[in-house]
Structures are given as C-alpha cells and as structure tokens.
C-alpha cells in the first residue's frame, strides 16, 4: 500500500481521539443551549467555562480574558478593527504591522486604510524575523495598535514577541499578536510577554475547524464585531459552539502540556529533512534556520513550479503546500516569500512541509526519499531550468 | 484545485515530453516570472506535423495542456494545427478550473509560436498565416 504522509499541519490538523471524545457528549445528549435555565443548558454552560479555564491556563491568562470566536480570522478582525475604531475617537489612527502577516491581518489593515487609517508595514528582512527596534522606531503618538504575528505561517519564523510587548507596554500602545501558528508549538505567557491581545485557532491544534479565541487583557474593552445576544459576557454574540469549545479546551490542555518535549521531538526531524532537501542543487531554505517553528520546513527549488511539485508529491501520498502563484489563487506568488526578498521566479518553486504530533520517523524517510527525484523529473522537463543551466536566466 | 481525472492522468504521465534535436520549428511562450513557460518542438514533413515534443515549467494544468496539445497536433496538417483552439484542448481534458484556462491559451500559443518559427526558417513571413502570437493577458502589467 502507498504510504500516506500528512505534512501540512500548518494548514490544518486532524481532530485527535482525545478531543473528539471530549466533544461527543456535547454533540449528542448535551445539546442544550448554554443560555437556558434548565439543567441541560447549565451543563453546557459549565462545560464552556471549564474549557475557558483550560485555554486561559495554557496562556497564563485569566478565564475572563478569553473570548471564543468562530475562527482565527474573526479574532484578528475583532482585535484590529475593534481597537482601530475605538481609538480613532481619541485621534489614534495609525497601525503598525509587518509585510508578511497572514491575510486575516493584512486584508483587515487594508480595509482600515480605506476607512482613513494609516498603516505601517514593517519590512521583515531576508531571514524573516523583525527586529523589535523597528517597532520602537515606528511607534508614533497616534499609533493605536501594533499587530505582529507570533510565528509566520509559511516560513515558521518566530518573532521577538516579548521584546515587542515590552516596548509597546512602555509606550502605552496596545499589542496584538496573531499566534495561530505558535500556540502549542512555543511556550506563551501573555503576562510575562506583555501581550494585550492574542488570536488562536482550534484546527491547528487537533481541535475542529470553526472555533477560535481572542484573548483580550483585562482592562481593554473593544467594540463588538458581532452584535446580538448576550453570549461571551455580551461581547461576542451567537449561540456558543459548545462541542467545539470543549474540544478546543481539551486540545489546548494537550498541546501545551509538554511543548519542550514536542520541540525536542520535531526539531531533529525538521533539520534532517532540511539537510536532505538542501542537497538538491540550487535549493535554498526560506526563513531563519534556527528561529523557526520546530515543525516548519520551507525550501525553494528554482526551475520547478510549486503546484506541479505538490501534485507530484500527492502521487507519492505526501500532503504539502507551496507559495507558488498557482496555489495562491492569484497571479503573484506568496507575499511572505516576496517579503523576505525572493524573486517571483524562485518563489514559484517553494515547498512548505509542516510536521506535527502525528509525524513519524517513517514519514520523514518517505519525504526525504520522494522529494529529490520529483525535483529532478520536473527540472528535466522545465525550460526554465534549461535556461538557468545555460546562464540565460540568472536568479 | 479540482482537476479532472484526465488532467491528472496527463500530469502524472505526460505524453511527448522532451526535445527534438533537429526540429523544424521551435516555439517558446510564457515567462518564469509568471510561473509558466512552454517550449514546443515540431518536426514537419510535407505540411504534416510528424512529431511534436514539449518542455514545460508550470503548474499541473500547464503540463497537462502541453501533453494534450502535442497529442492533438501530431499527425495533423499545419492547417489543422493552426485551427487548434485552447477550447478544444480544454474539452479534450474534460475541462479545466477557471483559473487555469490561461494554461490552455498558453498551449495554443506554443503551437502557433513553433509554427511561426517553422515559417521563418522557410523564409516565409509567418504573420499572415499564423497571425500575431500574443503574450497571455495574465502576464500584462507584470
């Protein structure tokens, strides 16, 4: 039988058995509306509060600072739009972010620009890591919020969150981080790191899709993004997704129980794959080799186009992703790869593999054995590679 | 990306991959910046395309359309090959996702570009016969 290797954990993850077990009662017999007065509803209400505490504990936050949302993108929208609209009344209409944020942040910022806000997109440098000093230098008296991702979704680079948090706190500017890729993969302490708002998403941690969290530090009150009933203490309307909330609580508990252990297990796997892939002629690693998520591999193979690489990997049973234009749904390749200085030509040939809790040593072997011959085959039929070899295209 | 089985089949085992050393016409369209380059080689005898090969840098659809287009023009007269439309290639592949239609346009242009080269080698101005082989619209503005 053909081996199946799921190496796209940064895109989404499988719901784990423990999480599904925790959820099932709330999909079946515990279906009551948590807002109801009777026991069936109260039980669901208690389950939500129990999950809230688990999420809070995992971040060193307080339960009353945790708000369940529909997804990571909603959390990002709420944090940035909410802050912008609230502080605009005080004349603060400037936002600081980076050039390589997830679209949930970038497109939110662009939408605010149309409303008259000014956005500074900090350049990220060739390693894909920003310098906290860049943030300090960009903060102005009218800066409403600094929003910087904890770890990049494509190249896995980890940003100096604690340093940025300290700077923002000292300057009295709210600091939001999109930690969708980081939660469960790096230790997070919102108090010590001076994080005012943090977004996370369930489906990256073996919880279901369609459940997210926004942590909002006590003392900050944002205008609602979703108005309606009094759920989430009146700040996020909509009947609670009880089973998914419970699942997320359990997933956070598991994911954050032994982060050093996860890092210790995945880092050697990651580095073995990177080492093997960099033996392919002209391959280059995208993003800092050390300051990156333990499961993230992002390598470019010039002369090869990413989507055909992914399809070829799929034929070998390997699920991965790419920053090529063909897979981004637009004419341009990944904005992340362009932000770290890759040319369009090289960005088209990128491959992201993201390892996770279920990745085995055999999976690693299968990846290492499968990728180089695929690159060789695609290059053999690539006129771009031919031009490169003849020196007609210089990258 | 929802590809038809036919597209996946032509991607996994593309027909006519390679070069023709003594080709009578060679055409190349697309560019690396866009992420698509197609190069087509034709062998032509007595107005008939006796062999066609290609090399393509591009997505699954680009490779599949190259494979299908070369299949369709092999054995055809130049006249018939010039009538090959991107739509015919798309239909032969049981359809392409909307965002991939430009790949089939590229395949049609690659054939025309190779035929233009053939005429130029014969000392014939290809424009009245083949027309202008335009760059794909998607590339404009880059």
């Amino acid at each position: 039988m053909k081996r199946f290797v799921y190496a796209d954990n940064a895109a989404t993850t499988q719901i784990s058995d423990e999480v599904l077990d925790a959820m099932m009662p709330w999909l079946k017999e515990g279906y009551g509306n948590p807002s109801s007065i009777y026991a069936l509803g109260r039980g669901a209400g208690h389950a939500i509060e129990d999950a809230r505490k688990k999420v809070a504990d995992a971040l060193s936050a307080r339960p009353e600072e945790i708000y369940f949302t529909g997804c990571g993108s909603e959390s990002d929208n709420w944090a940035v739009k909410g802050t912008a609209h609230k502080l605009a009344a005080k004349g603060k209409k400037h936002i600081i972010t980076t050039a390589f944020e997830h679209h949930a942040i970038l497109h939110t910022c662009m939408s605010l620009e149309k409303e008259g806000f000014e956005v500074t997109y900090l350049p990220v440098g060739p390693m894909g890591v920003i310098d906290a000093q860049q943030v300090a230098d960009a903060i102005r008296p009218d800066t409403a919020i600094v929003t910087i991702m904890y770890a990049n979704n494509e190249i896995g680079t980890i940003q100096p969150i604690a340093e940025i948090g300290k700077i923002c706190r000292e300057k009295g500017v709210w600091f939001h981080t999109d930690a969708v890729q980081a939660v469960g993969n790096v230790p997070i302490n919102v108090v010590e790191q001076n994080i005012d708002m943090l977004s996370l998403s369930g489906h990256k941690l073996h919880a279901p899709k369609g459940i997210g969290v926004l942590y909002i530090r006590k003392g900050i009150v944002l205008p609602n993004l979703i108005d309606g009933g009094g759920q989430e203490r009146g700040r996020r309307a909509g009947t609670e997704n009880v089973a998914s909330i419970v699942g997320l609580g359990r997933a956070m508990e598991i994911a954050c129980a032994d982060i050093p252990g996860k890092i210790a297990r995945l880092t050697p796997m990651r580095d073995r794959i990177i080492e093997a892939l960099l033996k392919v002629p002209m391959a280059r690693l995208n993003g800092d080799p050390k300051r990156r998520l333990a499961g993230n591999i992002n390598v470019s193979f010039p002369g090869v186009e990413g989507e055909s690489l992914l399809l070829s990997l799929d034929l070998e049973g390997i699920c991965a992703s790419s920053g090529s234009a063909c897979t981004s749904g637009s004419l341009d390749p990944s904005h992340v790869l362009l932000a770290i200085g890759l040319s369009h030509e090289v960005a088209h040939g990128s491959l992201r593999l993201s390892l996770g809790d279920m990745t085995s040593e055999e999976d690693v072997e299968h990846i290492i054995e499968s990728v180089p011959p695929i690159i060789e085959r695609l290059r053999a039929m690539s006129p771009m590679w031919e031009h490169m070899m003849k020196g007609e295209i210089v990258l | 990306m929802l590809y038809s089985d036919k597209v996946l089949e032509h991607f996994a085992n593309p027909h006519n991959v390679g070069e023709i050393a003594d080709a009578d016409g060679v055409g190349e369209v697309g560019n690396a910046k866009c992420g698509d380059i197609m190069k087509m080689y034709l062998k032509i005898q007595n107005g008939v395309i006796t062999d066609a090969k290609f090399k393509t840098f591009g997505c699954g659809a680009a490779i599949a359309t190259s494979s299908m287009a070369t299949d369709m023009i092999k054995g055809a007269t130049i006249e018939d090959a010039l009538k090959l439309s991107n739509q015919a290639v798309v239909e032969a592949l049981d359809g392409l996702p909307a965002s991939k239609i430009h790949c089939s346009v590229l395949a049609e242009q690659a054939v025309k570009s190779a035929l233009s080269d053939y005429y130029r080698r014969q000392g014939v101005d290809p424009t009245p016969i083949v027309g202008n082989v335009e760059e794909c619209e998607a590339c404009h503005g880059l």
Side-chain angles (χ1 to χ4, degrees), chain A residues 303-305 307-308 311-312 315 325-326 331-332 344-345 348 377-378 380-384 386-387 390 393, chain B residues 3 8 11-12 14 17 19 28 32-35 37 39 41 54-60 63 100 138 142:
Chain A
V304 168
E305 193 281 325
E307 193 208 84
S308 54
L311 279 174
S312 302
L315 293 170
C326 279
L331 293 175
D332 287 322
H344 280 63
E345 289 86 339
H348 285 307
R377 170 182 173 265
L378 292 172
M381 64 191 288
S382 164
M384 179 181 166
E386 182 189 320
H387 290 315
K390 288 180 183 164
I393 292 181
Chain B
Y3 282 137
L8 292 174
F11 170 76
V17 174
E19 300 174 13
E28 183 176 312
K33 195 177 177 189
C34 289
I37 304 177
K39 192 169 184 180
Y41 299 80
F54 78 90
K55 284 176 84 176
T56 290
F57 159 77
C59 61
I63 290 170
K100 299 293 185 181
L142 272 178

Side-chain angles (χ1 to χ4, degrees), chain A residues 285-344:
Chain A
L285 177 69
N286 297 317
D288 193 287
K290 295 290 170 204
R291 288 193 58 160
R292 70 192 299 135
L293 295 173
N296 177 285
I297 296 138
N298 192 312
V299 175
S300 284
F301 301 99
V304 168
E305 193 281 325
E307 193 208 84
S308 54
L309 173 53
L310 297 187
L311 279 174
S312 302
L313 284 168
D314 186 37
L315 293 170
E316 297 297 324
I318 300 171
C319 305
S321 78
S322 168
S324 82
C326 279
T327 57
S328 73
S330 73
L331 293 175
D332 287 322
S334 144
H335 69 283
V336 173
L337 298 178
L338 297 181
I340 61 168
L342 264 64
S343 64
H344 280 63

Side-chain angles (χ1 to χ4, degrees), chain B residues 117-131:
Chain B
D117 181 54
Y118 166 75
Y119 281 118
R120 272 192 295 270
R121 291 187 194 199
Q122 309 294 313
V124 178
D125 175 12
T127 318
I129 309 163
V130 182

